[in-house]
Amino acid sequence: MDQIEFQENLIWKNLGSEKCLLELTTFEGISYWWNIDYLFYNFIRLTTESRGAKFSITKRNAFTTKLFGSRVGIIIFLLLEISLFLYGRLLDLIIKPVRRNKRLSPKKVPKILVISSDAAWVATPSYMTGVVRKSDSLKDSVMEVLRDKVEFFGTSSFRYRKSSFKIAIERSLSWDYSYHLLNVYWTPRSWLKQKRALYFFKNQWQSLIDDPKFRDLCYFDNIDLFEPIINELKYYFFFLLPLSVSWMETFSSLINRMNPSLAFISNESGHSEKSLVIAAKKQHVPALAMQHGIIVPTNRGYIYSTKDISPNGSIQAPYNPISDKVAVFGTKYEDLLINQGHFPKSCVVVTGNPKFDKLLQMVKKFKDRQHLRRWLNIPAKKPILLWTTQTHWLSLEENLKNIDAVYTAIDELNVEVNLIVKLHPNEDQQAPLYRGDSRIDPIIMGRDAEILQLIYASDILLTKHSMTATEAVALNKPVIILNLSGMPDVIDCVQEGVAVGVYTKEDLKDAIMSLLHDDSSLASNRPNYIDSNFYLIDGKSSKRMAQLMLSMISTE
């Protein structure tokens, strides 16, 4: 039994109450389990790979549960929501005079609601002009194509981090489109629904604790995972599920007020984004999700069983509420979603990757890599090893293993290289782990560094399972997959012959030296890989997705 089969078994099997987990998480006809299904899968993945070890994030979740999962806590949450509502309104009032030209037009044109994640808010070149400015890097080029035909208005859910305050201000000030924090649309009804949901889900969780059938289902590979699973579920039932209900109600308020013709989403398996899909479909607003990363047979954000998804698009329990359309990068992903994810055929559309439309523009701007290196202020003579990290996805033990392997390899190389550590936008941008080893002084770049420019300037890309691996292949760069976890590779780059797999610390140095000398064995496999993963890299993916959006609006 793999991790996805284990999870399917856990959520569908009837328990002592004669209800399954999907039924226990059903509130007002909607199974809110699907808001946390992907999060739970990643918890299961980390827990099973570490043989039941506890993580620091579990301790943080326990604190959140204790704080907000009580009668006092729900009052504290009400005060917090009122504070964020007032913060959003104050932000609008202060910035309103500066943003007069970004307000929605009174003209009757279709409005498209865009939900933007904090991780996607980075410096990115304009598709039309090439000017680098901050925007939603995933959706930016599509929005530029349509800006004269529709009106976009953006929102984002507040992530209760210090960086969210800064990003909310930046979006309000500098985004090319109308923007308001989701909290501005919060109403007392949202909190009342959250309160009701909290009491409901707490009672449901209580029924799991002493359920012998549920306990029996928590064995994976002869390991008893009941304790970590029940504690993780307590965090969901006491905090995230009630919060998802509140978000759904707040998105409903937004839709009622703004009357959008379409909701444009990435990361539709996220708990706030799933709340938007539910709210949109309840009010008959079509939703379009765009692929934002690699999809593999173990990606629970897209891989479901035949009984998880309604064939006619119903969002009623026990079905998983999915978007009306999902735009994917290539035929490989289309096949995966339909045949292994069990999405309806009519739901999946191949458009290509809009992000790659900027490749041609970048190549024109920077005549050669040395030009780009000078522009990025990177020493020009040494080869560049670009390491795209995923600290937030990996255990501390694996992160430390990776750092030791990379730093040891570079320290022992016969040639000098520039090591660039490109941090994932969702990980700690202070990079304490990467600064803690004095053997190497890497160039560390955070969320604002433009990843395609870094890949273009580099000689080798190193990662575990980041989307950047496939982007490097598209840019004809050799790739090393560093996987010291002892588990199978998550992505298929090694299997497809476009990357070298390194599974022990000792093999990394030789892999780097070999690829610096000759990568022809990988280069010969790239064309077929690019064809299946990215359809066409012709600079027109944004236009294809824009046309899809217009067709979804016109059929309403």
Side-chain angles (χ1 to χ4, degrees), residues 113-127 133-144 152-156 167 170-171 174-177 179 264-267 273 290-292 354-355 358 450:
L113 166 61
V114 179
I115 182 167
S116 177
S117 69
D118 285 359
W121 181 255
V122 297
T124 186
S126 163
Y127 173 57
R133 75 281 186 267
K134 285 197 173 182
S135 186
D136 185 305
S137 60
L138 299 173
K139 309 179 187 76
D140 180 63
S141 59
V142 183
M143 293 170 74
E144 282 196 277
F152 291 99
F153 63 97
T155 191
S156 61
I167 292 172
E170 287 180 351
R171 281 197 185 106
S174 59
W175 207 3
D176 293 334
Y177 310 95
Y179 168 81
F264 188 24
I265 305 165
S266 56
N267 188 29
E273 289 84 355
M290 66 177 293
Q291 181 181 346
H292 68 286
K355 192 174 177 182
K358 300 177 182 181
E450 219 293 312

Side-chain angles (χ1 to χ4, degrees), residues 247-411:
W247 272 334
M248 191 284 294
E249 196 63 41
T250 303
F251 276 120
S252 295
S253 170
L254 183 160
I255 291 170
N256 284 331
R257 195 182 309 180
M258 304 304 295
N259 193 27
S261 300
L262 179 73
F264 188 24
I265 305 165
S266 56
N267 188 29
E268 68 167 322
S269 56
H271 35 281
S272 60
E273 289 84 355
K274 187 66 76 176
S275 292
L276 172 55
V277 173
I278 296 168
K281 298 197 83 167
K282 286 180 77 170
Q283 299 189 59
H284 308 291
V285 174
L288 168 65
M290 66 177 293
Q291 181 181 346
H292 68 286
I294 295 177
I295 303 173
V296 295
T298 56
N299 187 329
R300 181 61 181 179
Y302 292 97
I303 305 302
Y304 302 106
S305 71
T306 51
K307 54 189 176 183
D308 291 342
I309 297 175
S310 165
N312 61 8
S314 172
I315 63 170
Q316 294 300 305
Y319 293 121
N320 179 3
I322 62 169
S323 299
D324 297 275
K325 300 286 184 184
V326 181
V328 296
F329 298 159
T331 54
K332 170 184 171 180
Y333 300 116
E334 178 188 33
D335 178 72
L336 199 59
L337 260 64
I338 293 171
N339 295 316
Q340 294 190 50
H342 300 101
F343 280 67
K345 286 185 180 181
S346 60
C347 176
V348 186
V349 182
V350 178
T351 60
N353 186 350
K355 192 174 177 182
F356 283 178
D357 290 350
K358 300 177 182 181
L359 285 177
L360 302 176
Q361 183 188 79
M362 182 178 64
V363 172
K364 289 178 183 178
K365 179 177 180 180
F366 302 104
K367 295 184 172 68
D368 55 51
R369 291 169 60 235
Q370 298 304 324
H371 179 195
L372 178 55
R373 288 187 185 198
R374 288 192 297 272
W375 191 78
L376 292 171
N377 199 28
I378 299 172
K381 293 183 179 179
K382 302 176 187 176
I384 292 175
L385 174 65
L386 175 62
W387 184 12
T388 54
T389 59
Q390 299 162 287
T391 313
H392 61 306
W393 278 118
L394 311 180
S395 67
L396 177 61
E397 179 186 8
E398 187 174 352
N399 278 312
L400 292 176
K401 278 185 181 179
N402 289 343
I403 291 168
D404 180 52
V406 174
Y407 284 26
T408 299
I410 291 177
D411 194 40

Side-chain angles (χ1 to χ4, degrees), residues 29 202 386 512:
K202 282 178 72 173
L386 175 62
I512 295 171

Side-chain angles (χ1 to χ4, degrees), residues 537-551:
I537 302 179
D538 58 358
K540 297 178 181 178
S541 295
S542 300
K543 293 178 180 178
R544 284 189 287 272
M545 189 173 292
Q547 192 58 47
L548 172 62
M549 294 167 78
L550 291 176
S551 70

